Amino acid sequence: MANFENITIEKGMYQVNGNLTDTLEKLDPSENYIGTQYEGLDAFERQLKRFDIHVSGAGSDCVEKFFQTSNSAALFPEYVSQAVKQGMEQADIIPDIVASVTNISGMDYRSIASVPSEDDKTLKVVAEGAKIPETVVKTQENLVKLHKRGRMLVSSYEALRFQRLDLFTVTLNQIGAYIRRAQLKDAVDVLLNGDGNNNACTVITVDDSNEGITYNDILKLWGELAPYELNTILAPTAAMKKILSLPEMKDAIAGLNFHGTGKMITPLGATLLHTPAITGDQIIGLDKNCSLEMVQAGDVVTDYDKLIDRQLERAAISCTAGFAKIFKEASKALSY
């Protein structure tokens, strides 16, 4: 008999690592199943198989399947968390704009920063016996602001017990998408206004005689960002339309890439990302490799007590995260 069939699952497991899957992996490592029929499944998925719970597809079970035993009921909050995280990933462009993700166990965090001068950016020849130029790295004066984003899941068990899990997953996916969009808005705010450490984004103003955004404006953004690389551009809906209508975007190669893959690029090769979180007539150009740090205080958190003992009713689903600037000049805003 496989080891995962002998594990007693209880709600206290959620207190160990914040999520059930990591706890189960320590008790039942996936590496032990290489070469077996369970290869490719993580510890949580093996528990779903143990209790014959199908969460997706045409043959998905009803919500009540989780609550047939006390062990299977303890799996329900992890299913909710994973469905929410799946929704966050589907609506996620944050990995395309952050250089580093830092996971912390508390609520207080200070990022580090190095503010090089123009002289520091030039690696000069060091004569024999001469002092080597210094790069000073220090902690920021102010803490990173962490924001708790989430939704309250309100329903009775009777209302959902006969609903298929694949349909319920869609609802949970949307909760994840809401959370991610709110976090993206936080990231945009830090890029534009800084993280409280006097590092607001430099704003470049285009020629007033022009209407909208021109190719020369993007070239100006590219030049102002140097020596950093312009590899990502964030633009709201109106600006996206203007950029995509530029003559330089209508050449055969750019059009073929857009129609074939749905991925939009600018004439300069930067990734163009649609970001409704930006308000006003602005776009943001950045070097994604050194602009922004994401700080996470734990994973997606669900009220596992309520989901297990009270069978839904009211349960909060939340995620706490914040953003910090790494290099101030690695991102700039273009106002048109």
Side-chain angles (χ1 to χ4, degrees):
M1 183 179 290
N3 181 54
F4 69 87
E5 296 179 345
N6 300 318
I7 297 175
T8 300
I9 306 171
E10 55 186 13
K11 60 185 180 182
M13 289 180 171
Y14 287 91
Q15 299 175 348
V16 179
N17 294 304
N19 67 76
L20 183 63
T21 299
D22 290 347
T23 302
L24 290 174
E25 280 290 346
K26 291 184 178 181
L27 298 173
D28 180 43
S30 294
E31 61 187 25
N32 294 341
Y33 295 90
I34 297 176
T36 72
Q37 61 179 320
Y38 304 112
E39 183 177 1
L41 301 178
D42 62 28
F44 175 70
E45 292 169 333
R46 287 191 293 275
Q47 291 300 321
L48 293 178
K49 192 171 185 66
R50 169 188 176 185
F51 295 103
D52 194 31
I53 300 174
H54 301 88
V55 298
S56 62
S60 66
D61 291 307
C62 296
V63 172
E64 68 173 358
K65 189 70 174 287
F66 272 105
F67 297 95
Q68 290 186 337
T69 69
S70 59
N71 277 285
S72 60
L75 296 174
F76 188 64
E78 184 68 6
Y79 152 73
V80 171
S81 294
Q82 291 206 5
V84 171
K85 285 189 283 188
Q86 185 182 50
M88 293 173 69
E89 292 168 359
Q90 291 171 352
D92 200 4
I93 66 168
I94 289 179
D96 296 318
I97 64 174
V98 300
S100 175
V101 178
T102 303
N103 293 292
I104 61 175
S105 56
M107 295 297 291
D108 292 340
Y109 176 79
R110 294 181 191 274
S111 186
I112 60 173
S114 174
V115 185
S117 63
E118 290 300 321
D119 190 60
D120 293 333
K121 296 176 184 178
T122 304
L123 295 181
K124 300 178 180 179
V125 176
V126 179
E128 183 177 353
K131 182 180 178 182
I132 298 178
E134 298 177 343
T135 295
V136 179
V137 179
K138 59 182 181 180
T139 57
Q140 294 280 32
E141 181 179 352
N142 296 314
L143 297 171
V144 174
K145 295 179 181 178
L146 301 179
H147 302 280
K148 186 176 182 179
R149 303 290 189 183
R151 288 286 176 120
M152 183 69 71
L153 183 62
V154 181
S155 179
S156 66
Y157 174 64
E158 288 71 20
L160 288 177
R161 62 178 298 188
F162 297 120
Q163 293 298 322
R164 297 290 177 182
L165 286 167
D166 60 344
L167 178 60
F168 189 41
T169 299
V170 175
T171 301
L172 297 173
N173 286 167
Q174 283 302 302
I175 292 176
Y178 295 147
I179 293 174
R180 214 46 156 182
R181 283 194 285 268
Q183 290 178 339
L184 177 60
K185 188 174 182 180
D186 293 337
V188 168
D189 180 67
V190 169
L191 283 172
L192 288 174
N193 303 312
D195 56 17
N197 289 287
N198 193 29
N199 51 8
C201 189
T202 301
V203 178
I204 303 166
T205 304
V206 302
D207 188 351
D208 291 337
S209 63
N210 297 329
E211 293 186 2
I213 300 174
T214 67
Y215 184 64
N216 286 335
D217 295 332
I218 298 178
L219 285 177
K220 185 175 182 180
L221 179 62
W222 170 78
E224 292 286 342
L225 201 63
Y228 298 102
E229 177 187 2
L230 177 62
N231 49 39
T232 306
I233 294 178
L234 302 178
T237 304
M240 285 286 290
K241 293 178 180 179
K242 295 178 185 296
I243 294 174
L244 291 174
S245 64
L246 292 174
E248 289 78 10
M249 286 296 295
K250 296 179 181 179
D251 66 86
I253 296 178
L256 182 63
N257 185 73
F258 177 52
H259 292 297
T261 67
K263 295 181 178 179
M264 294 167 284
I265 61 171
T266 69
L268 299 178
T271 301
L272 183 60
L273 299 175
H274 181 214
T275 314
I278 300 177
T279 58
D281 297 330
Q282 284 186 325
I283 64 173
I284 302 174
L286 64 139
D287 187 338
K288 67 176 182 179
N289 298 314
C290 49
S291 291
L292 205 59
E293 175 189 15
M294 182 177 185
V295 182
Q296 296 183 145
D299 208 340
V300 173
V301 177
T302 61
D303 285 344
Y304 57 86
D305 271 326
K306 295 180 180 179
L307 288 176
I308 295 173
D309 297 337
R310 301 183 186 179
Q311 300 175 335
L312 296 180
E313 196 173 307
R314 293 177 66 88
I317 304 169
S318 63
C319 185
T320 303
F323 297 87
K325 279 280 192 77
I326 301 177
F327 289 98
K328 174 184 176 181
E329 298 301 320
S331 61
K332 294 184 186 294
L334 179 70
S335 180
Y336 62 94

